[in-house]
Amino acid sequence: MSETEQNQANKKLIVRLVGIVGGMFLFAFALVPLYDVFCEITGINGKTRGKAIYQSVEVNKQREVTVEFITDINRGMPWEFKSLVKSIKVHPGELNEVKFYAKNTSRKDIIGQTVPSISPGEGALYLNKTECFCFDQQRLAAGEEVEMPMKFYVDSEIPDDITHLTLSYKLFNVTDAVEVASGATK
Amino acid sequence: MAIRRKLFASLTALLGLALSGVVQATADLNMRPGVTETSLEAYDLHMMVVWVMTVIAVVVFGLMFYSIIFHRRSKNPTPATWSHSTTVEFIWTAIPFIILIALTIPAVKLLIKMEDASNPDMSVQITGSQWKWHYKYLDHNIEFFSNLNSPQQTEHFEQPGIAAEPNYLLDVDNELVIPANKKVRFLVTADDVIHSWWVPELAVKKDAIPGFINETWTKVPKPGVYRGQCTELCGKWHGFMPVVVRVVTEAEFDQWVAKKNEERLAAEKAAAEAAAKSWDMDKLMALGKETYDAKCAACHQVDGSGTPPLFPAMIDSPMVKGPAKDHIDIVVNGKAGTAMAAYGAQLTDAELAAVITYERNAWGNNTGDKVQPADIQAFKAGN
Amino acid sequence: MADHHPTGIKRWLFTTNHKDIGSMYLWFSFIMFLVGGAMAMVIRAELYQPGLQFVDPNFFNQMTTMHGLIMVFGAVMPSMVGLANWLIPMQIGAPDMALPRMNNWSFWILPFAFAMLISSLFMEGGAPNFGWTFYAPLSTTYAPPSTDFFILGVHMMGISSIMGAINVIVTVFNMRAPGMTLMKMPLFVWTWVITAFLLIMVMPVLAGAVTMMLTDRHFGTDFFNAAGGGDPVMFQHIFWFFGHPEVYIMILPAFGVASEIIPAFARKKLFGYSSMVYATASIALLSFVVWAHHMFTVGMPVAGELFFMIATMLIAVPTGVKVFNWVATMWQGSMTFETPMLFAIAFVILFTIGGFSGVMLAMAPVDFQYHDTYFVVAHFHYVLFPGAIFGTTAAVYYWLPKWTGKMYNEKLGKAHFWISMLFVNLTFFPMHFSGLAGMPRRIPDYNMMFADFNQLASIGAFGLGLSQLLFLGIVIATIRGGKKAEDKPWDGATGLEWDQLPCPAPYHTFDTPPKVN
């Protein structure tokens, strides 16, 4: 090979290799949505899906699944937050509604965000929420209290070995984050 | 040559001495079998793999040492010339493959069993935070924090003999109490960073992940005290947040639940009484120092110097020297996005008032402010 | 052949000579090895007995973090790149690396990257203290301010590794002497090409992960923050997608070294050359689908755990093939046991022990008991110290006559080997037991029941640390006043660098391509 041929061959190979490097860098970021898809398929982490649309199906009256509600408040969040029912038994396929209660006990306006998580993780595939406060952030004025509805149904496809679902909501104070973000856009 | 032999002899002697020392000091070189069905099965599986690996090691290293001894140049001056054999290579690809697949079968069975937390008799929510555990009995109205039994945490350097205590670093103020022979489900989560809840003898280890909930379970056949530790690096005092599980008979558990409920009512009453009266400076400072050293000093240091910038100093801090209401706010509610926890529910109103007063007057801060339990109540009520 | 080269500081600053750059990489990695080793001494001193004696727990965490980062990115990886620089052009009959100027940059980035990383120890709030795996949110929301310097440092060393890897690939693909077909290349070259591909595949992913950390810390994104819809577990998935291939990046070149040295001293051709190449490639491919075995306790669905468990155990098959091939190479050979051979044999044995504990760790239901204990620490130190580092040490003894033209002192070399062998086992073997007894990793203090094993490990570590100074002494003594080496100091050695070049190899080699038979 002559020197120019050699250089050209090198250049071609380098371009390809740099292409792989760039591609893999982007792939790292693509892992973020891919991970969500992966979670949705496998139920890793008990991440729940977004808003579901309820289609009335035949309710399986033979089966009962216990759905338990747990609430948790993260540090730095001066709210009261609890589920008004501890747990209910539901039939797969039927639409249910439960209510949650929140009160801002501080003397400031605060924006809260609840993050849901379901255990066992596989159960997340079968618990569908048609209406949930966790889809949005809540802003409560000082001392304000609110009752928040959550509508859901358990998919009738749910495997027989899942008899118990625990739906946990963790409440975070996102006031600073929201204000920083809106400050940035101003 | 003589020197070499002597050196070799003394080395062997030294090694032998070291080994016998180990054997004497700790009879148990192996994994602890534990007490639950799953832990015993995990132990059996562990032993099985250990033996399989040992056999493979004996065969492979045996051949190797045979070769090292008999195929050295002094014994075998002309090396063989072969360097390839498809049959042999196929065989030693296939055999390990079969062994490994055989090993996975019992592993799969056990794994499925360990991950099946369905149909529990009771549930406990476990929340990890820097650097303590919080237990919440979902079927009983009980919840509490479980801290390393002080004073080990903050006064480490000053207590030389403390490491000799049998349960050093494995003892807590409030143990997790569960009944024997009941399937107890644990819902594990965290408040700040990732922690991991582990009790070796129950073979339960689950990561506590902020914002997410993980499920695991145990069923302990015999009463006893089982100790473990946090096993995911969670910051400065990661090595100082033990887990202690006390397994009791069902009757004892019921008694314990009743007692806990009584205690809660009594504590509420006492707290209300303490909060109702007005405290003088000396009493506030005394209780304040006690509370501060137990709860705050791990991060902000006994002398209030903090570990800036993560854990700010208390001395001349604008927060401590500023308006009392902001100070109360941060102690009661914590600060989002930082390591500062909310102590509003962890401490009584009197303790809160005392620790705030202490911070505002100790280490030369001398603001002269007195914060009364009534102020805390007023703050919590939103006035 | 002209053998002049510039002198003084300029020679080293502006050099584009693969031999000079290889030497700089090797010296740099040895300095980092001593720095990281000194941190290990701090760790072992603190763990010598229960109670907090020397350091504050926060500083202890900084030590474990920096020890890991420096050893992985500063000692092991650059030492492998150093070997690649010295050996690959000579072994494939090329005059130099394909991209000599880039070669210079990729080295000179490193001292700055590590100066930055190490300077974080003196910053307010201290150095990174969240472990070399830097799990979010401990490394984001709860991390010290110096984390930004850590992120920049990781970016820089990542760029350096990627440039090094591109250079290796281009050199091997385009610069081979006529007749040097791919399947004639020495195994060291093969393992390095595969390593280089792993590097360009996963270093960018690491760069992505630290970039997300940076934006989470400063620009309001929530990749790893549950409150904003992110997920801390996702960090672990991304990290280990990089992290597991990274393990093989550190060990594959050492496989290559062993595959050069064992045949040389057995005076017998490497057994199963092509199966060695295929085994290396399959290890590399499998390394992309096993990452979650580092995170069996995060709460994965059973199906996921099963997949990662079985995939991980499969890696043992090609790894086993390599070990068997090495033993078969020795079989009916005519072996002598000079220092490089001793290190290579110890490498095979001790690395295999690390492999055994690896299979144990792969079994998910038992891994719940081993995970994040000293058992894991024992496992990966067995793979890394007697694995990667013994591999490099063997390489240095083996090629030192080629590099310097001088012979090292065989007696001292053997002493170095036996002392290292004793202490490496004394340091890391007891860790298996403390792990099984239930001691979590990354703790500065522990209960009395773990005391004996820790004391042994600490004694071993001090001895191991000191014995590496002997290595330094041997190398310096060789360079300064070693006996003149013959052109072929090892009668069983083969390959272009031994057959066609004198000792020391001249500054410029193979300006005209050699004949390959």
Side-chain angles (χ1 to χ4, degrees), chain B residues 133-145:
Chain B
W133 297 101
H134 178 258
Y135 299 113
K136 185 171 171 184
Y137 290 70
L138 296 175
D139 308 294
H140 313 88
N141 191 9
I142 297 174
E143 59 180 299
F144 53 85
F145 283 92

Side-chain angles (χ1 to χ4, degrees), chain B residues 85-332:
Chain B
S85 162
T86 315
T87 328
V88 174
E89 285 169 69
F90 176 78
I91 291 172
W92 68 42
T93 311
I95 291 179
F97 188 80
I98 295 165
I99 294 176
L100 290 170
I101 294 302
L103 280 179
T104 55
I105 294 167
V108 170
K109 279 189 190 150
L110 177 57
L111 187 64
I112 289 170
K113 192 183 215 173
M114 284 173 122
E115 296 287 1
D116 178 18
S118 58
N119 299 318
D121 296 314
M122 60 178 273
S123 301
V124 180
Q125 186 184 350
I126 300 174
T127 309
S129 62
Q130 286 177 327
W131 290 277
K132 51 185 167 274
W133 297 101
H134 178 258
Y135 299 113
K136 185 171 171 184
Y137 290 70
L138 296 175
D139 308 294
H140 313 88
N141 191 9
I142 297 174
E143 59 180 299
F144 53 85
F145 283 92
S146 178
N147 289 284
L148 175 72
N149 229 353
S150 47
Q152 293 157 339
Q153 198 173 66
T154 49
E155 291 168 15
H156 242 96
F157 287 99
E158 288 84 43
Q159 303 213 4
I162 198 159
E165 284 174 18
N167 288 325
Y168 175 61
L169 298 181
L170 295 175
D171 212 8
V172 295
D173 52 359
N174 294 304
E175 297 158 338
L176 174 71
V177 179
I178 56 169
N181 287 314
K182 293 272 177 199
K183 184 167 183 177
V184 183
R185 184 176 61 140
F186 301 118
L187 294 158
V188 188
T189 184
D191 243 356
D192 36 43
V193 300
I194 299 176
H195 304 265
S196 189
W197 196 83
W198 183 35
V199 184
E201 279 167 319
L202 310 185
V204 171
K205 184 185 282 157
K206 208 65 166 177
D207 288 1
I209 296 160
F212 295 90
I213 198 144
N214 268 329
E215 206 176 47
T216 183
W217 64 278
T218 193
K219 188 172 179 180
V220 190
K222 68 173 191 217
V225 180
Y226 305 104
R227 296 170 197 277
Q229 279 174 279
C230 174
T231 45
E232 182 63 66
L233 179 63
C234 57
K236 185 176 179 182
W237 297 104
H238 159 57
F240 302 77
M241 51 183 291
V243 173
V244 181
V245 180
R246 179 179 291 275
V247 179
V248 296
T249 62
E250 210 177 327
E252 284 170 332
F253 181 73
D254 292 339
Q255 281 171 13
W256 177 82
V257 170
K259 198 179 112 216
K260 272 282 170 189
N261 280 320
E262 267 169 41
E263 274 175 16
R264 193 187 64 244
L265 293 174
E268 277 167 12
K269 209 171 134 210
E273 277 167 14
K277 66 176 187 190
S278 177
W279 292 50
D280 67 29
M281 195 63 162
D282 289 348
K283 277 179 84 178
L284 281 171
M285 287 296 277
L287 179 62
K289 177 165 172 50
E290 191 185 308
T291 313
Y292 180 89
D293 289 353
K295 302 283 176 185
C296 316
C299 300
H300 295 294
Q301 307 300 322
V302 178
D303 61 5
S305 59
T307 324
L310 227 47
F311 308 119
M314 295 282 107
I315 304 164
D316 286 330
S317 136
M319 168 59 65
V320 171
K321 291 215 149 174
K325 281 211 163 148
D326 293 344
H327 193 171
I328 297 173
D329 184 27
I330 196 167
V331 177
V332 170

Side-chain angles (χ1 to χ4, degrees), chain C residues 159-190:
Chain C
I159 288 169
S160 159
S161 307
I162 289 170
M163 294 204 296
I166 289 179
N167 215 339
V168 167
I169 296 173
V170 176
T171 307
V172 171
F173 280 15
N174 289 355
M175 306 270 290
R176 275 171 291 134
M180 176 60 81
T181 59
L182 286 176
M183 288 312 272
K184 270 191 194 164
M185 293 195 308
L187 216 71
F188 177 76
V189 180
W190 256 118

Side-chain angles (χ1 to χ4, degrees), chain A residues 6 10 24 28 35 45 115 172, chain C residues 174 201 204 212 226-227 231 237:
Chain A
Q6 171 90 63
N10 285 359
M24 288 309 289
Y35 177 72
N45 249 341
V115 175
F172 290 89
Chain C
N174 289 355
M201 300 286 282
M212 288 181 220
D231 185 345
H237 282 288

Side-chain angles (χ1 to χ4, degrees), chain C residues 194-229:
Chain C
I194 292 166
T195 303
F197 273 104
L198 285 180
L199 276 168
I200 62 168
M201 300 286 282
V202 299
M203 291 311 283
V205 175
L206 175 69
V210 292
T211 306
M212 288 181 220
M213 265 172 71
L214 188 73
T215 60
D216 265 14
R217 281 169 59 78
H218 297 296
F219 304 108
T221 58
D222 289 309
F223 289 110
F224 309 130
N225 178 8

Side-chain angles (χ1 to χ4, degrees), chain B residues 25 29 32 46 67 71 73 76 79-80 82-83 89 100 115 156 166 168 198 200 205 207 214 231-232 235, chain C residues 61 141 267 272 275 297-298 305 313 325 330 332-335 368-372 433 437 442 445 447 452 456:
Chain B
L29 294 172
R32 285 183 270 172
H46 158 77
S67 179
H71 302 148
R73 190 158 60 179
N76 187 31
W82 47 263
S83 69
E89 285 169 69
L100 290 170
E115 296 287 1
H156 242 96
Y168 175 61
W198 183 35
K205 184 185 282 157
D207 288 1
N214 268 329
T231 45
E232 182 63 66
Chain C
N61 289 345
T141 318
R267 293 168 183 81
S275 68
T297 58
V298 298
E305 287 176 329
M313 296 183 76
N325 283 359
M330 292 159 72
Q332 291 185 357
S334 180
M335 278 187 278
F368 296 151
Q369 291 290 58
Y370 308 136
H371 178 77
D372 263 344
F433 300 129
R442 292 168 170 164
D445 194 4
N447 184 276
D452 299 310
L456 278 181

Side-chain angles (χ1 to χ4, degrees), chain A residues 6-60:
Chain A
Q6 171 90 63
N7 281 342
Q8 265 177 350
N10 285 359
K11 251 183 212 153
K12 219 167 125 187
L13 189 53
I14 294 168
V15 167
R16 283 189 195 158
L17 294 175
V18 171
I20 299 181
V21 170
M24 288 309 289
F25 185 70
L26 294 179
F27 176 71
F29 288 87
L31 279 172
V32 177
L34 278 177
Y35 177 72
D36 283 341
V37 173
F38 189 60
C39 289
E40 214 166 272
I41 296 168
T42 62
I44 276 190
N45 249 341
K47 265 195 175 177
T48 59
R49 308 182 191 206
K51 201 169 176 134
I53 292 168
Y54 179 68
Q55 283 151 339
S56 66
V57 288
E58 203 181 326
V59 177
N60 183 350

